[in-house]
Amino acid sequence: MAEDARILYANEQACRSLGYSRAELLRLTIHDIDLDFPRSQWPAWWRELKERGARTIESRHRRKDGSVFPVESAVNYFVYNGKEYNCAFARDITERKTVEAKLREREQHFRVLAESLAVATFIYQAEAIRYVNARAQTLTGYSAAELLGMKFWELLHPEFQDLARRRGLARLKGAPVPAHYEVKIRTKGGEDRWVDFTAGLIELNGEPAVLGIAVDITDRKEADAARKRLCRDLLDTLERERRRVAMELHDGVGQVLVALSLELYALRRAGGEKVEVERCTLEEMGRQIAEAAESIAHLAHHYHPVELVGLGVGAAIEAFAKDLARRHGVAVSVAADDIAGLLDQESELHLYRLLQEALNNAAKHAHAREIKVAIRREGQWLRATVSDDGKGFETKPMSAGTRGFGLTTMRERAAIIDGKLAVSSAKGVGTTVEITVPTK
């Protein structure tokens, strides 16, 4: 193009695109085909191009048939033989504009949907937050402008920031990281709130981004903590009562039975000269007293095993397993790592009670012939399993009054020490109870 906007040259593609012959195009000016360059603006445009040397612009071209289409033009200013020229390379961007329009429509639909949700919605890209809905502002206490100036992990409680940053950046790179977890955020007012966070990889402006949804679960967490405290208090009370009863059985009834046994022994030695009771009757009474004493000793030990305090959970469960095998005629094996010092006293007690319950269930309800106990250290966790070859059961939800109630109590006990309990079973194939507890 010349300085006066006349078209001096056009290639075949330009002719096809605009619907003109070359001869027709060379009789036109840029104002005849470009709707965004009226004559009034041309002088200013020419001066600007002359100063800058080159520009890339978007405008609209009109074909010979009157139809209009968008173009992107790379425009260059140059001088040849003392004359000034404008050389433009234009390409049809109809397809791109159509895609952009669809993306804008989808974005608008997304915004309408996100703003109507009752959960906090975020989008972050690289480390920066790019979008938040109204609920996110309500949850965090920050305005949209404040949030859009923050890095996504800065919203979290300090103990979760490093984890969130590592996972968030890894997710942007396509790494396999958990899509769902529970974390604490810290609001603008300094309040800590628990959220259930779900994240997924999306594309924003041609680059990877993360769409995150956060649901406030603070009330649920507080209710869980209150339930855990109540359960701990109840179990602590139960353990104290068990210790009291065990001591009374041992020091009270047990001592009385020992005294009676000694008196009967003395009577048997005295013979018929001093007492009128037949020797066989005395022997039967002695046997019954011995059995009662043994039962009381077993009950006292069951309520409060002395090995647990002195030797730890491994030795205590071995002693219980040996007694269980003798009483029920079942083969019980215990394989335990050296776990001394890995658990605090409370955790040891609860783990012992969990294993005790699992062993009793296997012997009394599953009618197992063989039971295997394993206690292993795995990194920062202690994993204990009780497996049996009994009749098994269906692990689907059970009604109150069935074995499911006992499992619920066991899960509550495991939760008190931040542990987990898993049960796998099926009819005819036995049962495995797995208890996972964090070490101190």
Side-chain angles (χ1 to χ4, degrees):
M1 286 174 286
E3 187 176 359
D4 60 2
R6 287 182 298 111
I7 297 174
L8 302 177
Y9 171 79
N11 66 4
E12 287 297 327
Q13 181 58 38
C15 296
R16 285 194 297 270
S17 178
L18 293 165
Y20 291 99
S21 67
R22 181 176 284 111
E24 289 173 322
L25 275 175
L26 297 183
R27 291 195 294 270
L28 302 176
T29 68
I30 190 63
H31 315 306
D32 298 317
I33 63 171
D34 197 314
L35 300 179
D36 297 310
F37 278 97
R39 294 180 189 279
S40 60
Q41 294 183 8
W42 183 254
W45 160 254
W46 188 268
R47 286 193 300 272
E48 182 183 350
L49 180 63
K50 187 175 180 179
E51 291 174 359
R52 299 179 59 174
R55 282 195 62 185
T56 299
I57 60 171
E58 291 184 6
S59 59
R60 295 168 297 156
H61 282 185
R62 180 169 53 203
R63 298 186 181 92
K64 183 178 180 178
D65 63 9
S67 59
V68 177
F69 64 101
V71 296
E72 180 183 79
S73 302
V75 187
N76 299 273
Y77 168 85
F78 69 99
V79 178
Y80 180 72
N81 287 338
K83 293 185 178 181
E84 297 176 344
Y85 297 96
N86 176 340
C87 180
F89 299 91
R91 66 185 184 94
D92 188 340
I93 57 172
T94 301
E95 184 177 350
R96 193 189 82 190
K97 287 293 184 180
T98 301
V99 171
E100 288 176 353
K102 289 181 179 179
L103 287 175
R104 284 194 297 272
E105 182 180 0
R106 289 178 182 176
E107 181 181 351
Q108 182 60 29
H109 289 165
F110 166 78
R111 288 181 178 272
V112 171
L113 175 61
E115 293 300 330
S116 65
L117 291 176
V119 295
T121 305
F122 304 81
I123 294 178
Y124 69 83
Q125 196 170 50
E127 291 188 346
I129 298 175
R130 300 298 187 193
Y131 168 80
V132 292
N133 68 350
R135 180 57 186 163
Q137 298 171 61
T138 302
L139 174 64
T140 64
Y142 291 98
S143 68
E146 289 172 321
L147 287 169
L148 295 179
M150 297 172 66
K151 295 177 180 179
F152 68 88
W153 47 268
E154 291 177 330
L155 276 173
L156 297 177
H157 186 279
E159 69 180 278
F160 290 97
Q161 287 186 357
D162 183 61
L163 171 68
R165 185 176 184 275
R166 284 188 287 104
R167 284 186 177 180
L169 295 180
R171 181 176 287 107
L172 285 170
K173 295 177 182 178
V177 294
H180 174 259
Y181 41 95
E182 295 179 354
V183 293
K184 264 193 298 190
I185 66 168
R186 180 157 287 175
T187 68
K188 185 178 180 179
E191 181 186 8
D192 294 336
R193 308 287 297 178
W194 278 97
V195 297
D196 186 296
F197 186 74
T198 304
L201 192 63
I202 62 171
E203 188 175 289
L204 179 65
N205 299 327
E207 297 293 332
V210 171
L211 170 64
I213 294 176
V215 180
D216 190 343
I217 57 170
T218 305
D219 291 344
R220 192 197 81 192
K221 280 286 189 178
E222 291 177 350
D224 287 346
R227 178 178 52 79
K228 186 183 289 188
R229 286 193 298 271
L230 176 61
C231 189
R232 176 183 274 112
D233 291 344
L234 290 173
L235 289 173
D236 286 347
T237 301
L238 177 61
E239 290 299 334
R240 286 195 298 270
E241 184 64 14
R242 279 176 164 169
R243 285 194 293 271
R244 186 189 66 79
V245 171
M247 291 179 64
E248 288 188 0
L249 287 173
H250 181 270
D251 298 338
V253 180
Q255 296 301 321
V256 170
L257 289 175
V258 169
L260 285 174
S261 179
L262 291 174
E263 289 180 7
L264 284 174
Y265 177 76
L267 286 173
R268 287 200 304 272
R269 291 290 299 268
E273 298 177 358
K274 295 184 179 181
V275 294
E276 299 298 329
V277 183
E278 295 182 2
R279 184 178 296 276
C280 61
T281 303
L282 291 175
E283 290 178 352
E284 177 61 19
M285 290 173 64
R287 185 186 64 79
Q288 291 176 356
I289 289 174
E291 289 179 355
E294 183 182 359
S295 296
I296 288 173
H298 167 74
L299 187 59
H301 185 273
H302 174 80
Y303 269 24
H304 186 59
V306 293
E307 296 90 351
L308 186 60
V309 177
L311 301 175
V313 66
I317 208 64
E318 284 185 7
F320 179 80
K322 186 181 296 184
D323 182 63
L324 185 83
R326 180 183 60 80
R327 287 184 291 109
H328 293 277
V330 59
V332 185
S333 63
V334 178
D337 291 345
D338 182 7
I339 59 171
L342 295 183
L343 301 177
D344 57 33
Q345 189 173 353
E346 181 187 27
S347 296
E348 279 204 337
L349 175 60
H350 287 299
L351 178 59
Y352 174 81
R353 293 301 184 197
L354 287 166
L355 291 171
Q356 186 183 52
E357 182 71 13
L359 283 164
N360 276 328
N361 286 340
K364 295 178 181 179
H365 304 300
H367 304 300
R369 295 185 303 274
E370 183 179 12
I371 307 171
K372 295 180 179 180
V373 181
I375 305 175
R376 304 297 184 200
R377 180 178 183 176
E378 297 180 3
Q380 299 301 312
W381 295 87
L382 198 69
R383 192 180 305 277
T385 58
V386 177
S387 304
D388 68 62
D389 62 353
K391 63 183 181 180
F393 62 97
E394 296 297 332
T395 55
K396 62 185 179 181
M398 302 177 187
S399 59
T402 69
R403 191 173 180 179
F405 181 77
L407 291 177
T408 300
T409 304
M410 291 174 71
R411 288 192 175 93
E412 292 286 352
R413 188 185 281 275
I416 287 175
I417 52 176
D418 296 323
K420 297 178 181 178
L421 182 135
V423 179
S424 59
S425 182
K427 288 185 176 180
V429 297
T431 301
T432 297
V433 177
E434 182 179 89
I435 306 150
T436 309
V437 182
T439 58
K440 64 180 181 181

